[in-house]
Amino acid sequence: MEFRSRTLTLLLLAAVAFASVPASAIASAPPVPDSMASMGDSITRGFNACGFYVDCTSRSWSTGSYSSVKSHYLRIRTVNPSLVAYNDAKSGAKVADMPGQAQQAVSQGAEYVTILIGANDACTSSESSMTSVADFESRFRTTMRTLTTGLPGSAIFVASIPDVKRLWQVGKDSSSARTAWAALSICQSLLASPRSTATADNERRDRVRQRVVDFNAVLARVCGEQANCRYDGGAVFGYPFALSDISTWDYFHPNTTGQHVLAEVTYPTGFGW
């Protein structure tokens, strides 16, 4: 029953996101690409999806080759078996690193580019060190300008940032998760004092979540200004992921199942190849 319920949730989220894409945009989808590049952070690197504190790029939701993940790369390869993929993401990256990754994608001549960035801009050592919304927008606009200028005919896909407060909700009652978050100093802006019910801590968590909401609004707006860009309509942010989707190495990054979920909820909101 749980599998059927999660499958139905995925289908409903995809349908809602797909419905938000204008029919004119779908009709003008670019040709199936011969090359693609993924930009982002440790999520797109598949960090901790196959071992302890290692990048597992084969498990990446975007450019991974692992069959059960069913990445964008593998889905497009069913149409174009000669597709070449580059994973330009870097673990620990923030939006400030995106212009450099964009330049790399341009140098590779990527005809399809995916972007998932922003978790590390909200998940910081403290609330005060989160990236400001204004800076986030400035950096992301520079990124998009680099891509659209250097790759004018290429398709760009932008995924929403996951709802990081959901991580606290599903993990706060797990002693293993709490131990990992504290020992590894993970996302302390949100995950500090995870069992506290104090008003100050509840309000802090809400502010961190709101920062992610604001970042996603920037991603949607800036992507929407470009005819060749598709935003996932909030599909990743809206997915109610479970603790079973998260790596038990750190209780933060998606495991192989979580990477599959990312591919599953994002691909239908893209270009329809």
Side-chain angles (χ1 to χ4, degrees), residues 6 9-11 13-15 17-18 72 75 157 160 232 234-240 258-270:
R6 290 181 64 192
T9 299
L10 289 169
L11 290 173
L13 285 168
F18 186 76
H72 286 216
R75 293 167 194 249
F157 176 81
S160 54
D232 76 356
V236 172
F237 180 82
Y239 178 73
Q259 291 285 343
H260 168 72
V261 166
L262 286 172
E264 193 80 356
V265 301
T266 56
Y267 194 74
T269 68

Side-chain angles (χ1 to χ4, degrees), residues 92-115:
K94 296 184 177 183
V95 72
D97 301 297
M98 290 303 95
Q101 290 187 23
Q103 291 173 354
Q104 191 171 1
V106 169
S107 72
Q108 293 159 346
E111 296 178 2
Y112 176 47
V113 179
T114 70
I115 303 173

Side-chain angles (χ1 to χ4, degrees), residues 234-249:
V236 172
F237 180 82
Y239 178 73
F241 61 85
L243 201 61
S244 57
D245 297 320
I246 301 168
S247 171
T248 53
W249 293 116

